[in-house]
Amino acid sequence: RLRLAGRAVPTVPMLVAARRMAAGETLRAADVRLIRVPASRLRPGAAQEAEVVLGQALRRPAAADQPLLLADLVQPVAVERGQTVTMLYQVPGMVLTAQGRAMEAAARGAAVPVMNLHSRLVVQAEVIGPGRVRVGGSR
């Protein structure tokens, strides 16, 4: 027989950076680590599930073992400011493409002003992928 003394402390999962990372890096499974911390030490807004953070980009650098805060994560930039992009205009039965220059950086799904390189007109477009934007038409 053994007599033990102590106290039980409830713990919760929390995601931390597995290594030092720079601002703008996109998080992959190898970049995060799940640890358990006392519930009283869980920082407000700290990520607790890997599915929520994977594929997101860091707004600011993160040190190894630093908690990942949801407020520090953003969609990764798919179009850089000044980047040449393919502008896509689609209507049923017709697809037109043209080259343009992004006037701002933007993530997938965001609106971005794009200057048509041929006409020099600036139009609003939706980022649909790296280097690709959709202008007007049906979706």
Side-chain angles (χ1 to χ4, degrees), residues 78-87 98-102 114-115 117 130-133:
V79 172
E80 296 286 342
R81 181 176 190 263
Q83 177 182 354
T84 300
V85 296
T86 300
M87 300 168 57
Q99 293 298 303
R101 183 167 323 278
V114 177
M115 180 178 59
L117 294 179
R132 294 176 48 92
V133 298

Side-chain angles (χ1 to χ4, degrees), residues 39-55:
S40 61
R41 287 193 46 220
L42 181 66
R43 292 184 60 182
Q48 294 182 274
E49 297 175 0
E51 296 79 28
V52 175
V53 302
L54 296 181

